[in-house]
Amino acid sequence: MTRYIFITGGVVSSLGKGLGSAALGALLQARGYKVRLCKLDPYLNVDPGTMSPFQHGEVYVTDDGAETDLDLGHYERFTGVPARKNDNITTGQVYTEVLAKERRGDYLGATIQVIPHITNEIKDFILEKEGTADFVLCEIGGTVGDIESLPFLEAIRQFGNEVGADRALFIHVTLLPYIPAAGELKTKPTQHSVKELMSYGIRPQILLCRADREITEDERGKIALFCNIAREKVIPALDVSSIYEVPLSYHDEGLDNQVMDSFGIKDVANLDLSIWDDIIARVKEPEGSVKIAIVGKYTNLADSYKSLNEALIHGGIANNVKVELKFIEAELFENEDPTPHLDGVNGILVPGGFGKRGTEGKIRAVQYAREKKIPYFGICLGMQMAIIEAARNLCGIKGATSSELEEGGEHIVGLMTEWEQDGKKRAGTEEELGGTMRLGAYPAHLVEGSKVAAIYGAQDISERHRHRYEVNIAYKDKLEGQGLKFSGLSPDGALPEIVEREDHPWFIGVQFHPELKSKPFDPHPLFVSFIKAAVDQGRLV
Ligand code: GLN
């Protein structure tokens, strides 16, 4: 029997609902249950693929090639369950589907309405998970009270009624703001938010109250009384220093016990939180620290590189060190020496990115790392920059560039269609930007004896991609002649997947996004190895 837990948010956005859902998923797993997490997003975009990272943070890519919300990254990082395309739905998708059915005549002449047609579509999305897990955790994006959330709230209300109270649980995440003049946490916004939710017919059984300081018993009692919720089901969710403390912190406050209680589940055997204890011990007591420069473009919004930041932290956890991230705008040194910005770092990482802005600075960062023998990790665009740098500065191809960046010059990186005339189209042409990216999991074969084969401990790997341009394999011999080895290729040998330098302590560029698959309890081997190289680099100076 599958049970459903719906997580809504009130008062303000950015309350950490996604993290809370992920942490609850991890706690249920620690009790031996199988979980599945999904997200209902009320925005109108069909998917976040077209949204700027400034607006919505990182786009998280699943194995099956969906561009989804970054909360799915939290879910996967905390539970290890690979996210799938059908773990995320948006208003845009719901309407696209309903309108397509209407055009096909599927509704047999009925008038199409929000209730029941839109709500049915949403319920179908949830019900499709039936039987796939013991608990399906369903996070509703947005804040209760938003106009656009209404069909989703109505759908989960109906769903709860249909499956019955013993199979559906509503958790509401709220904020208790601290007002210095009063010297106390305020409960009124929470009361109003619960009232709003009740006006839609949803009575939350558990409140997860975010606060920046301890919630007194008086305050807890007041919330319980006014919101008509048992005191022990008003769960304090205080700020913690590392997101990986959230599962243990919520457990200590009784969250998973109260979930069990709400469902009437008595069995509490098998609770094993040791992986989280272990992670926290390492996060809290590192043996040292390393400084990693991330030379990118969206550096003023930490969420735009969410998975990357986490994967670097995981690499630190594996090496027992704290990883200090230094975000550097590549644009700062497009025409000058990057030394003042990069001096003293133990590793340089150029992450994925789109468009020309900042790319000359990124190329300079690659050159600096290569010449100064600082560990270099190039991810997606970061690998393409490493290729262009080597082509320009080592192979003497002065005009080396990517067709994404310039029409002129020599395109070492470009669309497959630019050099393949046989109609075997992998990436699209420039006229059809949307949906032409290489998205999702693709296999790669690693060269025997290469550094990456040793790091992975395997020769056949699968990693997630999100890019439109490819390195032209025709330049392989020239670049390899200058020490940049093509150590990973697509199984047919047509697409370069990984490059590495043999004459350098750690210089690896990958066409995919390894950060998407890293977990604190199962850190990605490339990040473990990169941070280890950074630790070694630190020892040298
Ligand atoms: N802009 C590059 C491409 O489309 C790289 C994309 C990325 O870094 N994710 O190929």
Side-chain angles (χ1 to χ4, degrees):
M1 178 173 76
T2 298
R3 293 180 168 92
Y4 295 85
I5 302 175
F6 297 100
I7 299 117
T8 53
V11 184
V12 292
S13 58
S14 306
L15 277 180
K17 257 186 315 182
L19 214 54
S21 307
L24 177 57
L27 290 174
L28 293 170
Q29 277 184 327
R31 288 174 174 269
Y33 293 108
K34 194 167 169 210
V35 300
R36 176 136 183 216
L37 286 102
C38 59
K39 176 142 194 223
L40 309 173
D41 272 315
Y43 52 72
L44 275 166
N45 303 56
V46 172
D47 61 44
T50 52
M51 288 190 201
S52 158
F54 283 125
Q55 289 249 327
H56 203 71
E58 157 188 278
V59 173
Y60 190 76
V61 179
T62 60
D63 276 334
D64 54 4
E67 296 181 286
T68 64
D69 189 86
L70 61 79
D71 277 321
L72 270 73
H74 290 312
Y75 304 164
E76 188 168 331
R77 271 191 289 281
F78 276 77
T79 64
V81 180
R84 283 166 273 197
K85 188 185 183 74
N86 57 6
D87 289 339
N88 186 205
I89 198 169
T90 69
T91 298
Q93 276 166 40
V94 174
Y95 274 82
T96 304
E97 193 57 36
V98 168
L99 292 176
K101 285 185 184 165
E102 185 271 334
R103 290 291 85 185
R104 277 202 308 266
D106 290 6
Y107 297 115
L108 306 174
T111 307
I112 312 306
Q113 294 177 302
V114 173
I115 305 172
H117 300 95
I118 296 296
T119 45
N120 280 352
E121 198 67 36
I122 298 169
K123 285 193 293 181
D124 287 349
F125 167 82
I126 304 167
L127 196 60
E128 180 257 343
K129 277 96 196 146
E130 176 72 24
T132 60
D134 300 313
F135 289 95
V136 169
L137 285 76
C138 216
E139 178 191 348
I140 323 298
T143 307
V144 166
D146 295 346
I147 290 177
E148 54 188 18
S149 308
L150 280 175
F152 290 97
L153 295 174
E154 171 60 15
I156 61 170
R157 181 195 67 77
Q158 292 176 13
F159 193 95
N161 258 347
E162 286 161 20
V163 297
D166 57 336
R167 289 183 58 204
L169 171 68
F170 294 91
I171 298 181
H172 192 48
V173 187
T174 73
L175 174 74
L176 304 185
Y178 179 75
I179 304 296
E184 58 183 17
L185 290 167
K186 289 294 180 186
T187 65
K188 194 81 78 192
T190 297
Q191 295 175 36
H192 282 289
S193 181
V194 170
K195 205 166 145 197
E196 181 87 22
L197 200 52
M198 302 251 278
S199 76
Y200 305 137
I202 295 174
R203 193 173 85 77
Q205 288 104 315
I206 294 179
L207 281 187
L208 203 50
C209 301
R210 295 296 315 277
D212 66 354
R213 65 202 65 214
E214 210 184 318
I215 302 172
T216 64
E217 275 308 308
D218 268 4
E219 286 158 347
R220 206 169 170 184
K222 198 166 158 191
I223 298 168
L225 181 66
F226 283 95
C227 298
N228 194 25
I229 286 172
R231 178 190 282 258
E232 60 277 10
K233 290 195 166 52
V234 176
I235 312 271
L238 307 189
D239 294 350
V240 283
S241 55
S242 154
I243 59 169
Y244 300 117
E245 280 181 62
V246 175
L248 289 179
S249 149
Y250 288 6
H251 170 73
D252 290 344
E253 300 289 2
L255 177 62
D256 47 319
N257 272 326
Q258 293 307 324
V259 168
M260 293 293 118
D261 184 70
S262 301
F263 280 119
I265 303 173
K266 299 272 179 288
D267 166 32
V268 287
N270 289 336
L271 178 68
D272 179 7
L273 291 166
S274 55
I275 57 167
W276 297 103
D277 287 327
D278 191 42
I279 289 164
I280 290 312
R282 284 160 172 264
V283 169
K284 290 218 154 147
E285 279 164 41
E287 285 164 8
S289 74
V290 289
K291 196 186 267 183
I292 305 294
I294 299 179
V295 182
K297 184 161 73 161
Y298 312 112
T299 49
N300 55 355
L301 179 70
D303 264 3
S304 55
Y305 295 122
K306 189 76 207 153
S307 295
L308 179 67
N309 302 349
E310 296 308 322
L312 286 163
I313 291 170
H314 304 163
I317 291 175
N319 285 286
N320 259 322
V321 292
K322 182 174 165 20
V323 180
E324 281 175 45
L325 304 180
K326 185 176 178 192
F327 289 97
I328 303 174
E329 277 292 332
E331 251 188 324
L332 292 176
F333 42 82
E334 296 232 274
N335 301 308
E336 58 202 73
D337 179 15
T339 308
H341 300 275
L342 296 174
D343 196 24
V345 302
N346 308 114
I348 295 174
L349 191 148
V350 174
F354 292 83
K356 185 172 170 58
R357 185 166 72 81
T359 47
E360 288 304 318
K362 292 175 191 179
I363 292 169
R364 281 177 190 274
V366 176
Q367 184 179 5
Y368 180 90
R370 178 176 60 76
E371 290 176 352
K372 300 266 193 274
K373 304 252 189 264
I374 312 278
Y376 175 77
F377 197 178
I379 293 182
C380 207
L381 185 70
M383 158 166 157
Q384 298 174 357
M385 296 295 101
I387 293 277
I388 293 170
E389 192 276 330
R392 283 188 196 170
N393 299 332
L394 298 174
C395 303
I397 309 171
K398 289 284 164 259
T401 186
S402 159
S403 54
E404 180 183 11
L405 314 178
E406 271 161 66
E407 277 195 15
E410 193 168 332
H411 295 164
I412 316 286
V413 180
L415 298 173
M416 291 275 291
T417 43
E418 289 174 44
W419 58 80
E420 268 202 352
Q421 302 302 323
D422 61 2
K424 209 172 55 168
K425 206 166 69 163
R426 277 195 145 95
T429 58
E430 264 167 307
E431 294 82 64
E432 30 168 8
L433 282 189
T436 59
M437 280 208 259
R438 185 143 77 105
L439 276 174
Y442 281 84
H445 185 72
L446 311 184
V447 172
E448 204 180 339
S450 61
K451 265 189 204 176
V452 281
I455 291 170
Y456 274 96
Q459 266 187 274
D460 289 294
I461 60 162
S462 167
E463 292 282 5
R464 295 182 195 166
H465 290 247
R466 180 175 186 248
H467 58 106
R468 195 169 286 120
Y469 298 83
E470 306 278 357
V471 174
N472 189 344
I473 192 80
Y475 290 90
K476 180 170 183 275
D477 290 347
K478 260 194 194 155
L479 288 157
E480 290 202 326
Q482 294 301 325
L484 193 62
K485 299 286 179 203
F486 285 43
S487 53
L489 295 169
S490 58
D492 63 0
L495 300 174
E497 292 277 358
I498 306 181
V499 292
E500 65 182 47
R501 294 202 71 86
E502 281 165 350
D503 59 356
H504 191 283
W506 208 98
F507 189 104
I508 292 175
V510 296
Q511 188 58 80
F512 45 81
H513 290 275
E515 71 274 23
L516 299 176
K517 284 178 43 167
S518 187
K519 290 136 204 138
F521 44 82
D522 182 17
H524 194 287
L526 284 172
F527 284 91
V528 176
S529 176
F530 176 59
I531 297 298
K532 180 171 184 313
V535 171
D536 292 344
Q537 198 275 344
R539 282 201 191 105
L540 294 179
V541 287

